[in-house]
Amino acid sequence: MTPILGLKRNTNEQWVNMLQLQYGFFFFPFLFSQAWCQVTGCYESRVCGCVRMPNQTLFPYFNLTMFMNIGPYRYPALASFFLLYIFIVCANLAIVLTICREKTLHEPMYIFIACLSFNALYGSTGFFPRFLMDLASDTHLISRAACFTQIYFIYTYGSNEMTTLCVMAYDRYLAVCHPLHYHSRMTVKKALTLAGLAWLLPLVFLTTVIYLSATLPLCGNEIQKVFCANWNVVKLSCVPTMVNNVVGMFMTIFTVFIPLAFVLYTYTRIMNAAWRRSAKFKGRVFQSCLPHMASFVIYSITAFCDIALSRQSVEEINPFVVIM
């Protein structure tokens, strides 16, 4: 794809970019130079040095193309998703208010459940209003600022969900495997601190990722999704995106893969501990871990479906399936 101002990458630049992909950390000076060029607004046109691109064109709008050709599915989908949004808001708001008002529920496990419910309110509010408006509309243009705001809401919701589930898994691990030390190791104050960190870390990573994406010059404005996604925006870039790829990789490792591995590890330990105990104890463990397991399974299935669909050709997928 040719950049906006017609600057073509020469052979040397392509060779360096190929080596960066294979031996990224050995080419840190090149990575740093690309980061500097991206932040300052100049981009590489040769191996050494940057050339500033004057009068850079920024698309004021993005076009969400997956809403096209929905046809007769539009109004049933609109009604269904509106009812789903109302249900999500009412159910999670009821959970949060009940836990806040009942002092007997001011315990670590219920604090984490309240955090999950609040995160569901946060994520649904960042997604559904705009999504419902696009379903009801004939045009599906979203401003640049609104697009990156939606990316921030959706990605922080997903990251917060995984980190909170990680902290919740640690709480259940202490309750089952170390019951005598549970109340000394997991106090209400410590639970609030862990919940705060579970929200803070993704915010820091995602602010950096989205800032880097927002500074990219783009050669198009069509996003083949029903919502704005960071990778779909980065793919429209006219310049190398090595910095975005490396930062995104670290964010994914720290906010998805490490929490996921920890959740699987803790539940392996919990199952081993419960396996050697009585049936009554197994029932109590299952009952106490059920909210966490349900949230983890639902989130994992949703994430897997989104990743699987993102790797399919959009022309071969029914738009209604993508929306669902």
Side-chain angles (χ1 to χ4, degrees), residues 62-70 140 221-227 314 319:
F62 290 102
N63 185 16
L64 303 175
T65 60
M66 286 306 297
F67 282 103
M68 298 174 63
N69 301 323
I70 296 177
H140 310 106
N221 68 337
E222 291 189 352
I223 297 177
Q224 296 178 334
K225 269 186 174 291
V226 295
F227 60 90
V314 293

Short mmCIF file of all heavy atoms in Angstrom, two decimals, residues 62-70 140 221-227 314 319:
data_model
loop_
_atom_site.label_atom_id
_atom_site.label_comp_id
_atom_site.label_asym_id
_atom_site.label_seq_id
_atom_site.Cartn_x
_atom_site.Cartn_y
_atom_site.Cartn_z
N PHE A 62 -14.26 7.11 10.55
CA PHE A 62 -14.06 5.73 10.14
C PHE A 62 -15.40 5.16 9.71
O PHE A 62 -16.45 5.58 10.20
CB PHE A 62 -13.49 4.88 11.29
CG PHE A 62 -12.07 5.22 11.65
CD1 PHE A 62 -11.79 5.99 12.76
CD2 PHE A 62 -11.02 4.74 10.89
CE1 PHE A 62 -10.49 6.30 13.10
CE2 PHE A 62 -9.71 5.03 11.22
CZ PHE A 62 -9.44 5.82 12.32
N ASN A 63 -15.35 4.19 8.78
CA ASN A 63 -16.56 3.56 8.29
C ASN A 63 -16.59 2.10 8.77
O ASN A 63 -15.70 1.31 8.45
CB ASN A 63 -16.59 3.60 6.76
CG ASN A 63 -17.90 3.07 6.20
OD1 ASN A 63 -18.88 2.93 6.91
ND2 ASN A 63 -17.91 2.74 4.92
N LEU A 64 -17.60 1.76 9.57
CA LEU A 64 -17.75 0.39 10.09
C LEU A 64 -18.51 -0.43 9.04
O LEU A 64 -19.74 -0.37 8.96
CB LEU A 64 -18.49 0.41 11.43
CG LEU A 64 -17.85 1.27 12.52
CD1 LEU A 64 -18.74 1.31 13.77
CD2 LEU A 64 -16.46 0.74 12.89
N THR A 65 -17.77 -1.19 8.25
CA THR A 65 -18.36 -1.81 7.05
C THR A 65 -19.17 -3.06 7.33
O THR A 65 -19.94 -3.49 6.47
CB THR A 65 -17.23 -2.17 6.06
OG1 THR A 65 -16.33 -3.11 6.68
CG2 THR A 65 -16.46 -0.93 5.65
N MET A 66 -19.03 -3.69 8.50
CA MET A 66 -19.75 -4.93 8.76
C MET A 66 -21.24 -4.73 9.01
O MET A 66 -21.99 -5.69 9.12
CB MET A 66 -19.14 -5.67 9.94
CG MET A 66 -17.81 -6.35 9.63
SD MET A 66 -17.88 -7.45 8.19
CE MET A 66 -19.04 -8.68 8.76
N PHE A 67 -21.68 -3.46 9.11
CA PHE A 67 -23.10 -3.20 9.25
C PHE A 67 -23.83 -3.23 7.90
O PHE A 67 -25.05 -3.20 7.85
CB PHE A 67 -23.34 -1.84 9.90
CG PHE A 67 -23.13 -1.84 11.38
CD1 PHE A 67 -21.98 -1.31 11.93
CD2 PHE A 67 -24.07 -2.37 12.24
CE1 PHE A 67 -21.78 -1.29 13.30
CE2 PHE A 67 -23.89 -2.37 13.61
CZ PHE A 67 -22.74 -1.82 14.14
N MET A 68 -23.06 -3.29 6.83
CA MET A 68 -23.67 -3.28 5.50
C MET A 68 -24.35 -4.62 5.21
O MET A 68 -23.92 -5.67 5.67
CB MET A 68 -22.60 -3.00 4.44
CG MET A 68 -21.92 -1.64 4.59
SD MET A 68 -20.54 -1.42 3.44
CE MET A 68 -21.42 -1.51 1.89
N ASN A 69 -25.43 -4.54 4.45
CA ASN A 69 -26.13 -5.73 3.96
C ASN A 69 -26.71 -6.60 5.07
O ASN A 69 -26.83 -7.81 4.92
CB ASN A 69 -25.21 -6.58 3.08
CG ASN A 69 -24.70 -5.80 1.87
OD1 ASN A 69 -25.42 -5.00 1.30
ND2 ASN A 69 -23.44 -6.03 1.52
N ILE A 70 -27.06 -5.98 6.21
CA ILE A 70 -27.73 -6.75 7.27
C ILE A 70 -29.18 -7.02 6.86
O ILE A 70 -29.75 -8.05 7.19
CB ILE A 70 -27.66 -5.99 8.61
CG1 ILE A 70 -26.21 -5.88 9.07
CG2 ILE A 70 -28.48 -6.70 9.67
CD1 ILE A 70 -26.04 -5.10 10.35
N HIS A 140 -22.91 4.42 8.84
CA HIS A 140 -22.16 3.84 9.95
C HIS A 140 -20.78 4.49 10.08
O HIS A 140 -19.76 3.81 10.20
CB HIS A 140 -22.05 2.33 9.77
CG HIS A 140 -23.36 1.69 9.49
ND1 HIS A 140 -23.73 1.23 8.24
CD2 HIS A 140 -24.44 1.47 10.29
CE1 HIS A 140 -24.95 0.73 8.28
NE2 HIS A 140 -25.41 0.87 9.50
N ASN A 221 -9.96 4.30 5.72
CA ASN A 221 -10.80 4.55 6.89
C ASN A 221 -11.89 3.50 7.07
O ASN A 221 -12.85 3.72 7.79
CB ASN A 221 -11.43 5.94 6.80
CG ASN A 221 -12.45 6.04 5.68
OD1 ASN A 221 -12.41 5.28 4.72
ND2 ASN A 221 -13.37 6.99 5.80
N GLU A 222 -11.75 2.35 6.41
CA GLU A 222 -12.76 1.29 6.53
C GLU A 222 -12.33 0.25 7.55
O GLU A 222 -11.26 -0.35 7.42
CB GLU A 222 -12.99 0.63 5.16
CG GLU A 222 -13.66 1.54 4.16
CD GLU A 222 -14.07 0.79 2.90
OE1 GLU A 222 -13.68 -0.40 2.76
OE2 GLU A 222 -14.78 1.40 2.06
N ILE A 223 -13.15 0.05 8.56
CA ILE A 223 -12.91 -0.94 9.62
C ILE A 223 -13.92 -2.06 9.43
O ILE A 223 -15.13 -1.85 9.52
CB ILE A 223 -13.05 -0.31 11.02
CG1 ILE A 223 -12.00 0.78 11.20
CG2 ILE A 223 -12.93 -1.37 12.10
CD1 ILE A 223 -12.10 1.50 12.53
N GLN A 224 -13.43 -3.26 9.19
CA GLN A 224 -14.30 -4.40 8.90
C GLN A 224 -14.74 -5.07 10.20
O GLN A 224 -14.45 -6.23 10.45
CB GLN A 224 -13.58 -5.37 7.96
CG GLN A 224 -13.29 -4.77 6.60
CD GLN A 224 -12.54 -5.71 5.69
OE1 GLN A 224 -11.83 -6.60 6.13
NE2 GLN A 224 -12.70 -5.52 4.39
N LYS A 225 -15.45 -4.31 11.00
CA LYS A 225 -16.02 -4.79 12.25
C LYS A 225 -17.27 -3.99 12.54
O LYS A 225 -17.55 -2.99 11.86
CB LYS A 225 -15.02 -4.66 13.41
CG LYS A 225 -14.14 -5.88 13.65
CD LYS A 225 -13.29 -5.69 14.89
CE LYS A 225 -12.52 -6.95 15.23
NZ LYS A 225 -13.41 -8.04 15.69
N VAL A 226 -18.01 -4.40 13.58
CA VAL A 226 -19.17 -3.63 14.01
C VAL A 226 -18.80 -2.67 15.13
O VAL A 226 -19.66 -1.95 15.64
CB VAL A 226 -20.31 -4.57 14.47
CG1 VAL A 226 -20.83 -5.39 13.31
CG2 VAL A 226 -19.86 -5.46 15.62
N PHE A 227 -17.54 -2.65 15.52
CA PHE A 227 -17.04 -1.69 16.50
C PHE A 227 -15.59 -1.40 16.17
O PHE A 227 -14.94 -2.13 15.40
CB PHE A 227 -17.18 -2.22 17.93
CG PHE A 227 -16.43 -3.50 18.18
CD1 PHE A 227 -15.11 -3.49 18.62
CD2 PHE A 227 -17.05 -4.74 17.99
CE1 PHE A 227 -14.42 -4.67 18.85
CE2 PHE A 227 -16.37 -5.93 18.22
CZ PHE A 227 -15.05 -5.89 18.65
N VAL A 314 -14.01 -11.60 5.84
CA VAL A 314 -15.30 -10.99 6.17
C VAL A 314 -16.32 -11.21 5.06
O VAL A 314 -17.53 -11.18 5.31
CB VAL A 314 -15.12 -9.48 6.43
CG1 VAL A 314 -14.32 -9.25 7.67
CG2 VAL A 314 -14.47 -8.79 5.24
N PRO A 319 -23.14 -11.32 8.03
CA PRO A 319 -23.05 -10.19 8.94
C PRO A 319 -23.80 -10.41 10.24
O PRO A 319 -23.38 -9.93 11.29
CB PRO A 319 -23.64 -9.03 8.12
CG PRO A 319 -23.45 -9.44 6.69
CD PRO A 319 -23.60 -10.93 6.69
#
